[in-house]
């Protein structure tokens, strides 16, 4: 009995040692392979470094060569922009005669891809903003427009007469730009020096014959209508500086309030500085209506780790109490982030049981003191209004049938999500998991289309949605 | 010692050795002396680029790397322990093991983008009131959303001539925690400028184009429009 026990123990010891040795040698082998590769790479880096330092040391002739290489790079970029825009013109010509939705779709996809490539190259040119800004805007919108048209074709909406007219105007303009770049390349009139701020921000004359950029009318993230969008909510009548100051004192009775300035941004605000025992707070009240657009103090600590369940509950309670004290109606908490001592919880307004995701209020709660030290209601102030909500055409079960079978559904909510900055769509929101990945999928409650798929990334800072 | 006792000790020794074999295979969420691999290479490259590390980039976390990490931690107010844990990794702009990033949507940002934004804010606006630092970040993000400017944070920041901290190298300084927090607040949507795309320092600029534009708001020493 004793003997066998000894033998077993020694056998186990022996196996253990063998396994250890095996692992060590395999990782050592890997290491020495990697070491060899790295040594080779290091040698190359050293050689390149010594070449560079040689050019630094030499005068005159070598400085010239590095200037040449950057001007060569800029010439390449100009040619790329010219080529891409030229290809866009050709694609648009083909679109004029594409008879099937399939071919139309593929050509629109090409147009979208070329616009992305051209605008990326444009962003690297050493051109003054005045010269390149409008052109970048046009190229970006052209691609954006192509993407919107693609979505139309996929939903059985072929190109309309207005669309073909816009495309032909786009083509005319692209031909002009392409010819202008070509002639500048040939005559060598290209800026080849890296710009400084004075070069970038300067008065420019009307670029030769490149004015009259056509306005593209469509609905997309970069469209002109969406970039210049006015607030959709009716905030109320104009509020004077004094009224704003009084309102600030009502909201923060423990602080001294002093008026700072008027901000004429997208939503004009009265900016007020508050100071008290607990610190300083910046507050902005909307000029129309005197509503709090945001206020921000600073958190006490700077913890970065995730709050535990009990802390999370307390943080939510603190935020909810604050929101009801300030008179906001029913709100639905969605995701939260935590960083640098603060926890940011996102709340969306609710109407008739439908969560309105555009009407967002972010509440910043201090990790240490569980007090609310900041709030951002810009989404809410911009968008909140009574919506006309129809009952969904698809029931929850019918919508769930449109969902990928791979997702294990954990919760379902009826929501109104923004499709572009000016349109919204009623959707069934399904939150679920596939393996270790968490997803949020929005199924259109009228058509059953998959409007959006979001991946939830559990990062160190909370659940980020991409 | 009894023979039985000796038996038990042998057995325990064997178990311990077996367990030790299993340990190297678990993924770690920190980098420390003895670590090796791609993440160590990334770490060494960053530290070398910023002047904290002068050794070779060999992917092995040895004593030179430990010293470099300690140097970095000392300069940046982190706990000086020579180990790259979550706080140090965040300051370096690295994410360790677990989280992956990237979708192709133009609105997603990686932790690298956050750190780049923080560096630009630090270069352009350190010493400004906190609201002014967030405002600089907001201008950058407004440009990303605008059709007139490049469509990514790095594209906007590195656009030729757009930010002086890029051309004079100040963007390579390690940002402090305030700048990192300002970058995160800006990414969360706080825009103290109400949508502005430009800013300048009225007491330092002679640029006629900028001075001719109506100012939307002034925060600290920057006028925004």
């Amino acid at each position: 009995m004793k003997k066998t026990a000894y033998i077993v123990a020694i056998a186990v010891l022996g196996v253990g040692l063998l396994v250890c040795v095996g692992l060590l040698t395999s990782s050592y082998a890997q290491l020495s392979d990697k070491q060899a590769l790295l040594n080779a790479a290091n040698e190359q880096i050293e050689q390149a470094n010594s070449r560079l330092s040689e050019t630094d040391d030499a005068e005159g002739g070598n400085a010239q060569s590095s200037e040449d290489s950057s001007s060569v790079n800029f010439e390449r970029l100009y040619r790329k922009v010219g080529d891409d825009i030229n290809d866009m013109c050709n694609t648009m010509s083909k679109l004029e005669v594409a008879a099937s939705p399939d071919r139309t779709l593929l050509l629109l996809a090409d147009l979208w891809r070329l616009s992305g490539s051209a605008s990326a190259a444009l962003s690297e040119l050493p051109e003054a903003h005045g010269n390149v800004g409008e052109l970048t805007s046009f190229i970006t919108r052209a691609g954006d427009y192509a993407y919107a048209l693609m979505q139309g074709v996929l939903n059985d909406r072929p190109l309309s007469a207005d669309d073909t007219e816009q495309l032909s105007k786009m083509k005319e303009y692209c031909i002009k730009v392409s010819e202008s770049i070509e002639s500048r390349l040939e005559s060598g009139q290209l800026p080849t020096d890296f710009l400084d701020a004075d070069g970038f921000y300067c008065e420019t004359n009307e670029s030769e014959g490149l004015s009259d950029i056509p306005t593209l009318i469509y609905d997309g993230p970069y469209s002109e209508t969406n970039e210049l969008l006015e607030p959709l909510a009716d905030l109320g009548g104009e509020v004077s500086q004094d009224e704003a100051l009084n309102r600030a004192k009502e909201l923060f009775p423990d602080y001294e309030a002093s008026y700072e300035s008027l901000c004429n941004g997208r939503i004009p605000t009265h900016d007020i500085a508050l100071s008290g025992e607990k610190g300083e707070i910046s507050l902005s009240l909307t000029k129309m209506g005197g509503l709090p657009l945001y206020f921000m103090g600073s958190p006490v600590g700077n913890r970065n780790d995730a709050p535990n369940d009990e802390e999370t509950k307390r943080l939510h309670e603190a935020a909810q109490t604050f929101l009801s004290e300030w008179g906001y109606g029913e709100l639905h908490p969605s995701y939260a982030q935590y960083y640098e001592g603060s926890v940011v919880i996102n709340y969306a307004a609710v109407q008739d049981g439908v969560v309105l995701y555009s009407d967002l209020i972010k509440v910043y709660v201090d990790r240490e003191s569980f007090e609310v030290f900041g709030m951002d209601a810009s989404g809410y102030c911009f968008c909140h209004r009574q919506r006309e909500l129809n009952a969904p055409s698809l029931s929850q079960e019918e919508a769930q049938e449109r969902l990928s079978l791979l997702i294990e559904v954990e919760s379902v909510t009826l929501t109104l999500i923004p499709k572009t900055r000016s349109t919204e769509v009623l959707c069934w929101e399904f939150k679920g998991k596939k393996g270790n990945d968490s997803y949020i999928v929005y199924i259109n409650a009228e058509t059953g289309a998959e409007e959006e798929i979001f991946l939830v990334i559990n990062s160190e800072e909370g659940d980020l949605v991409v | 010692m009894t023979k039985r006792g000796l038996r038990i000790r042998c057995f325990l020794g064997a178990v311990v050795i077996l367990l030790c074999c299993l340990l190297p295979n678990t993924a770690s969420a920190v980098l420390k002396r003895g670590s090796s691999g791609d993440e160590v290479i990334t770490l060494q490259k960053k530290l070398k680029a910023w002047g904290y590390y002068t050794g070779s980039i060999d992917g092995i976390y040895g004593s030179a790397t430990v010293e470099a990490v300690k140097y970095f931690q000392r300069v940046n107010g982190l706990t000086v322990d020579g180990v790259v844990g979550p706080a140090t990794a965040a300051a370096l702009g690295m994410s360790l093991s677990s989280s992956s990033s990237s979708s192709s949507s133009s609105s997603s940002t990686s932790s690298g983008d956050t750190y780049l934004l923080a560096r630009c804010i630090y270069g352009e606006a350190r010493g400004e009131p906190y609201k002014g630092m967030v405002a600089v970040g907001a201008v950058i993000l407004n440009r990303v959303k605008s059709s007139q400017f490049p469509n990514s944070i790095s594209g906007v920041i590195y656009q030729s001539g757009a930010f002086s901290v890029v051309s004079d190298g100040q963007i390579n300084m390690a940002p402090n925690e305030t700048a990192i927090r300002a970058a995160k607040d800006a990414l969360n949507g706080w825009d103290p400028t109400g949508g502005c795309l430009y800013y300048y320092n009225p007491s330092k600029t002679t640029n006629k184009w900028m001075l001719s534009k109506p100012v939307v708001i002034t925060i600290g020493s920057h006028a925004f429009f």
Side-chain angles (χ1 to χ4, degrees), chain A residues 368-381:
Chain A
E368 313 278 325
S369 64
F370 295 94
E371 282 183 24
V372 172
F373 70 89
M375 178 193 81
D376 178 357
S378 45
Y380 189 89
C381 286

Side-chain angles (χ1 to χ4, degrees), chain A residues 196-207:
Chain A
D196 63 2
D198 279 330
F200 187 71
Y201 301 106
C202 68
E203 299 278 355
T204 47
N205 306 318
E206 289 290 314
S207 313

